[in-house]
Amino acid sequence: MYWKNCVGFEQQIDKFRTAIRANRLASTYLFVGPSGIGKRHFAKTLAKALLCSRNPEADLMPCNECPDCVQFDGGLHPDLHVVSKPVEKAYIPVELFIGSSSKRMREGLCHDFSRKSYRGKRKIGIIEDADYFNDEGANAILKLLEEPPPRSLLMLLGTSATRQLPTIRSRSQIITFRPLLPEQIEQIVNLPHVVQKLIESGLIDNEQALNEIDVRPLARMAHGNMENVIQLLDPAVREFHEQFVTQLSSFDPSQDDFTKTTESFIDEVGKENALRRLRFSNLCDTAINFYRGKMLECATNDADLAVRFADCIERCMEAQSHAAANMNLANLIEIWLVDLGKISRGEITRGIAKIGV
């Protein structure tokens, strides 16, 4: 089955099939959910199914043989437009939407969407990093959201609806994606394209090597995030994450000079700032998933503590934004860990748990 690689998304698949059959497919969707759970893969899978020129749209089942499917697999389909935030940028550059200063509205997503479909089916756009819109970028696509071209589909991928600008959120139909269950992660790890990724990254030598690894504890530690699983296959990373979760559980994550330990862990990826920021952001995701689980555990018997855990989640998301904006990581790590301790202990609230306060 074509959708077998989109494990855990049966509800979303049915939702889109129903919308297409009822001729009620919206022009803009906002996919929200934790990073590392497959939103990007789902969006591209949906795009290929809609662009297939042989099978009916309502089936959402590409033939994998027609010219559209072949071009899609080669990354060359003229009616698919993907926008991603460059790793060295804090926000999605406005040029990706409206073109460079010398080619305003002659290139970029808005220009591409204004042109007729090459294949006569749909124009499909995927904005992979919707958490990183700034006001300029949001304003640039405002007309596209308000007056979408006929038979166009725009999918924006983010971690939370609250992180989206109001102009984006109010003009999108929101589809929520939940963290993966441990048993779903175990299933995904053994999918051929994931195994190939692990081999290419050097984490395993071959498929047989993966069979010799007990993935079950890693799936539980990953908190529903496939990116965490891939990292945790590295024993050194797994050891640090276990230590990190222990520190968070203590309500004082900066104790025992753990700030320095965290800085060393970040520095292990090398001097390239983009890689260091990515490792820090992934660490924030681990903390977010930890606090989310704790929040759910105590929601019915300790509302005050649940609120504090929710505030810790907000603080982690704020730290990710500051990392993306190129704040000094050493300072950021120290203040972030201290703040998490104070918030979880109830010493400060989100109203004053700001960097530098």
Side-chain angles (χ1 to χ4, degrees):
M1 180 181 177
Y2 175 67
W3 288 94
K4 66 181 180 181
N5 290 342
C6 290
V7 176
F9 297 148
E10 292 78 10
Q11 183 179 358
Q12 290 84 356
I13 296 169
D14 289 342
K15 184 179 183 69
F16 275 100
R17 279 204 176 104
T18 300
I20 293 168
R21 289 168 181 168
N23 197 29
R24 298 186 65 179
L25 191 68
S27 60
T28 304
Y29 287 91
L30 174 60
F31 294 172
V32 297
S35 61
I37 61 172
K39 299 188 300 294
R40 180 183 291 107
H41 186 65
F42 179 91
K44 290 186 175 180
T45 302
L46 177 63
K48 182 180 179 182
L50 291 173
L51 291 172
C52 174
S53 55
R54 180 176 297 178
N55 291 342
E57 274 193 350
D59 291 349
L60 282 187
M61 194 68 63
C63 68
N64 294 321
E65 298 175 352
C66 69
D68 288 277
C69 287
V70 173
Q71 282 193 312
F72 190 100
D73 289 338
L76 299 172
H77 200 290
D79 290 328
L80 176 68
H81 309 280
V82 180
V83 173
S84 302
K85 181 184 76 65
V87 293
E88 73 277 6
K89 298 291 185 180
Y91 298 100
I92 304 176
V94 68
E95 290 79 10
L96 296 181
F97 300 119
I98 58 176
S100 60
S101 57
S102 62
K103 295 183 178 181
R104 280 289 190 259
M105 295 312 299
R106 286 183 287 146
E107 62 182 13
L109 180 67
C110 295
H111 168 264
D112 294 338
F113 256 52
S114 68
R115 305 184 68 180
K116 185 177 179 181
S117 166
Y118 283 88
R119 296 291 192 184
K121 292 213 65 176
R122 291 184 183 273
K123 303 286 286 188
I124 297 180
I126 301 174
I127 300 177
E128 295 187 336
D129 303 286
D131 287 351
Y132 299 99
F133 271 106
N134 57 13
D135 289 338
E136 188 179 20
N139 289 334
I141 68 165
L142 186 57
K143 184 176 180 180
L144 184 62
L145 299 180
E146 292 179 334
E147 302 175 16
R151 293 189 62 76
S152 66
L153 173 64
L154 186 62
M155 292 176 275
L156 299 89
L157 317 184
T159 57
S160 170
T162 60
R163 293 190 69 172
Q164 312 308 315
L165 294 170
T167 52
I168 301 291
R169 190 170 58 242
S170 63
R171 292 168 175 82
S172 306
Q173 186 169 137
I174 299 175
I175 304 291
T176 301
F177 291 76
R178 304 295 181 189
L180 297 166
L181 299 174
E183 56 267 29
Q184 292 170 336
I185 287 179
E186 291 180 48
Q187 182 179 348
I188 293 171
V189 166
N190 289 287
L191 292 174
H193 74 281
V194 177
V195 173
Q196 185 60 36
K197 181 178 180 180
L198 295 176
I199 293 173
E200 292 173 354
S201 65
L203 290 172
I204 59 173
D205 295 327
N206 48 50
E207 186 173 355
Q208 180 61 35
L210 180 61
N211 294 335
E212 297 172 359
I213 298 174
D214 187 358
V215 178
R216 289 173 295 179
L218 305 187
R220 291 193 295 271
M221 289 173 59
H223 301 288
N225 188 320
M226 267 305 300
E227 291 177 359
N228 286 344
V229 173
I230 292 173
Q231 288 188 63
L232 291 168
L233 284 169
D234 182 334
V237 173
R238 183 160 65 251
E239 181 181 354
F240 175 82
H241 276 250
E242 291 173 346
Q243 187 179 3
F244 179 55
V245 169
T246 299
Q247 292 291 123
L248 295 177
S249 300
S250 74
F251 284 42
D252 189 8
S254 63
Q255 67 177 331
D256 300 328
D257 209 20
F258 195 69
T259 296
K260 295 297 183 183
T261 305
T262 304
E263 290 177 17
S264 298
F265 174 72
I266 299 297
D267 291 340
E268 285 174 1
V269 296
K271 295 182 178 180
E272 188 175 340
N273 285 332
L275 293 177
R276 296 173 74 248
R277 291 197 301 270
L278 178 60
R279 174 162 278 199
F280 175 75
S281 182
N282 289 338
L283 193 60
C284 287
D285 283 335
T286 295
I288 289 170
N289 289 319
F290 167 81
Y291 287 121
R292 182 179 287 116
K294 290 298 183 181
M295 181 180 66
L296 294 175
E297 285 179 12
C298 65
T300 57
N301 55 23
D302 194 336
D304 289 340
L305 184 56
V307 169
R308 298 208 299 270
F309 287 143
D311 287 345
C312 287
I313 292 173
E314 290 297 322
R315 184 63 182 84
C316 292
M317 294 169 65
E318 181 184 64
Q320 288 177 315
S321 296
H322 283 91
N326 292 319
M327 181 176 179
N328 180 276
L329 274 182
N331 293 336
L332 178 57
I333 290 167
E334 180 178 5
I335 300 170
W336 173 57
L337 292 177
V338 170
D339 277 354
L340 289 181
K342 290 181 178 179
I343 296 169
S344 61
R345 294 192 300 269
E347 295 175 11
I348 57 176
T349 65
R350 272 303 290 155
I352 59 174
K354 302 292 185 180
I355 285 181
V357 176

